[in-house]
Amino acid sequence: MEIKTLLMIFLINFCYVTLNTIRFMLTMKGSRVVAPLLSMVEISIYVVGLSLVLNQIDKPLNLFVYALGYACGIVVGIKIEDYLALGYIMVTAIVPLNEENHQLPEILREEGYGVTQTIAHGREGERLVLEILSARKSERSLYKLIKEFNDKAFIISYEPKYISGGFWTKKVRERNRRK
């Protein structure tokens, strides 16, 4: 019976934290229906798991298994978030301005990325600054492509909260109409 209780404590907290991670991700992406519904399931699981531990607080192993379920839930939640990769990223890549790197914007466009390029002046001379919009699912491929051209490229990425206008939003709208 003790093993069954420990397993139940572990699984309940594991599920709670995994759902918590997914719900948080959906909340950050503006999900107004799924995130609140998921939070109802999440908090119900949390209360059941916590009550199992608090009802037997004199058993330190229960608390340890609860914490272990929490940690494992975080690991799996992160992996799920990486797999889903919802949304878009904005990447700024800065490379030296030369003939080889000058081809990079067009190659990125051919791969389907939205690219705006500008010439800038850095400490060591002229630079090509690329502002690149990409689906998060393509993030690693984009970095790899940039590094193939210049392995010392300076790259910064962030997630935009709001996108309006331009090539990319037209492309996304067309893709959504086809669905």
Side-chain angles (χ1 to χ4, degrees):
M1 188 67 167
E2 178 74 24
I3 295 291
K4 186 177 178 183
T5 302
L6 291 174
L7 186 61
M8 197 159 53
I9 289 170
F10 175 85
L11 288 174
I12 285 172
N13 213 29
F14 173 81
C15 291
Y16 158 67
V17 176
T18 302
L19 287 175
N20 179 278
T21 304
I22 294 168
R23 191 250 326 138
F24 183 75
M25 177 185 67
L26 292 171
T27 301
M28 296 305 294
K29 300 298 180 192
S31 171
R32 292 192 162 106
V33 176
V34 178
L37 292 174
L38 194 59
S39 73
M40 290 172 53
V41 175
E42 172 195 338
I43 199 65
S44 299
I45 292 171
Y46 170 74
V47 169
V48 170
L50 187 59
S51 70
L52 281 172
V53 173
L54 292 178
N55 286 339
Q56 299 176 21
I57 197 71
D58 58 325
K59 297 181 180 175
L61 188 56
N62 288 359
L63 185 58
F64 173 77
V65 170
Y66 185 81
L68 183 64
Y70 196 97
C72 292
I74 287 178
V75 169
V76 170
I78 289 169
K79 291 199 179 293
I80 290 171
E81 199 279 333
D82 280 346
Y83 174 76
L84 292 176
L86 299 175
Y88 301 92
I89 59 161
M90 193 69 196
V91 175
T92 301
I94 303 173
V95 295
L97 184 62
N98 59 37
E99 281 301 313
E100 183 180 308
N101 291 332
H102 216 41
Q103 301 165 4
L104 184 56
E106 201 51 47
I107 289 170
L108 291 169
R109 288 182 188 111
E110 288 170 10
E111 292 292 321
Y113 298 104
V115 181
T116 299
Q117 66 189 71
T118 55
I119 307 291
H121 300 281
R123 185 178 197 175
E124 297 173 7
E126 287 193 318
R127 299 282 182 242
L128 180 60
V129 178
L130 305 173
E131 294 288 336
I132 309 157
L133 187 61
S134 168
R136 280 202 50 232
K137 288 184 185 255
S138 305
E139 184 175 6
R140 289 198 170 98
S141 302
L142 174 59
Y143 296 153
K144 184 179 176 189
L145 191 57
I146 293 168
K147 291 290 188 176
E148 283 175 7
F149 267 82
N150 190 307
D151 63 342
K152 293 181 181 166
F154 179 70
I155 301 173
I156 304 170
S157 69
Y158 59 92
E159 289 187 50
K161 184 169 173 76
Y162 174 74
I163 302 172
S164 175
F167 154 81
W168 192 262
T169 53
K170 289 177 194 171
K171 186 175 170 181
V172 170
R173 245 181 284 145
E174 288 172 14
R175 192 177 314 133
N176 289 339
R177 268 189 242 145
R178 281 186 249 139
K179 288 182 180 178

